[in-house]
Amino acid sequence: MIFTPELILAFLTLTFLEVILGIDNIIFISILADRFPAASRKKLIRMGLLLAMLSRILLLMGINWLVHVQRALFSFDWGWLSSEITLQSLILLAGGFFLIYKSTKEVYDKVEALHTNGTVESSKSLTYGKALLQIVLIDLVFSFDSILTAVGMTNGISNALYIMIAAIVIAILVMMLFATPVSQYINTHPSLQILGLSFLLLIGFMLITEAAHLSHTTVFGGSIGVIPKGYLYFAIAFSLGVELINMRFRKKKKNS
């Protein structure tokens, strides 16, 4: 492999994008890890990220399948509502609804825990295996965007597959390095937990609109556009910045 400037730039850009796009993964895994004893959290986070890396590499290896899932399975036109349903849109739609359901349920459980001395009976039903399964399924949904973006960026570059795999491996290792302290920080600050769940609600809504956009859905003659991810990430960064300032202010006020 010849390390040309174009190849190095593509590798660095893809690695950065994989880390940024993996933030939602870390938030989701952190929320699930909070349900388990401290000794099991680190193991769940690492295993979840390793499975995330494996699923993304498998998606890259099955790039032809990725192209196939963008083809229309069937279409309908009811006048006021029309759509061309693809497997990709169905996966994104299911992932969006799952994130909204999961986030809403977690918020409910955390609020209920305040009235039951910190314990919620429904949380006991989540086993280690179920948590890993949820991580794999939601990462599969999250992976579509990052993989398709990587394929588009490396189109025409030699050894593109190796570049994408290397970028994914490095990005997961970086996330693995910071995931545990980030998870511990989130889980020791209830306001950040609620904020993280709110982010997942936004991401779930974004996935639903993206599914509608990819399937060319129209409602009363109007097409559904895609929500620019830059807007979403800016909203997340801005909200997080405000909350960190509030936390610092509350800490100073408490110590004074």
Side-chain angles (χ1 to χ4, degrees), residues 139-160:
D139 183 71
L140 180 65
V141 177
F142 288 152
S143 296
F144 273 98
D145 279 347
S146 60
I147 295 302
L148 291 175
T149 300
V151 171
M153 287 184 57
T154 56
N155 187 30
I157 300 178
S158 58
N159 300 304

Side-chain angles (χ1 to χ4, degrees), residues 93-113:
L93 185 67
F97 279 119
F98 174 76
L99 270 184
I100 291 176
Y101 161 77
K102 187 67 179 178
S103 303
T104 305
K105 185 175 182 300
E106 289 291 336
V107 170
Y108 173 79
D109 286 348
K110 290 184 183 302
V111 172
E112 284 297 303

Side-chain angles (χ1 to χ4, degrees), residues 31-44:
I31 297 299
L32 287 182
D34 188 43
R35 294 293 194 91
F36 295 91
S40 303
R41 290 174 190 170
K42 192 172 183 179
K43 181 181 177 183
L44 179 64

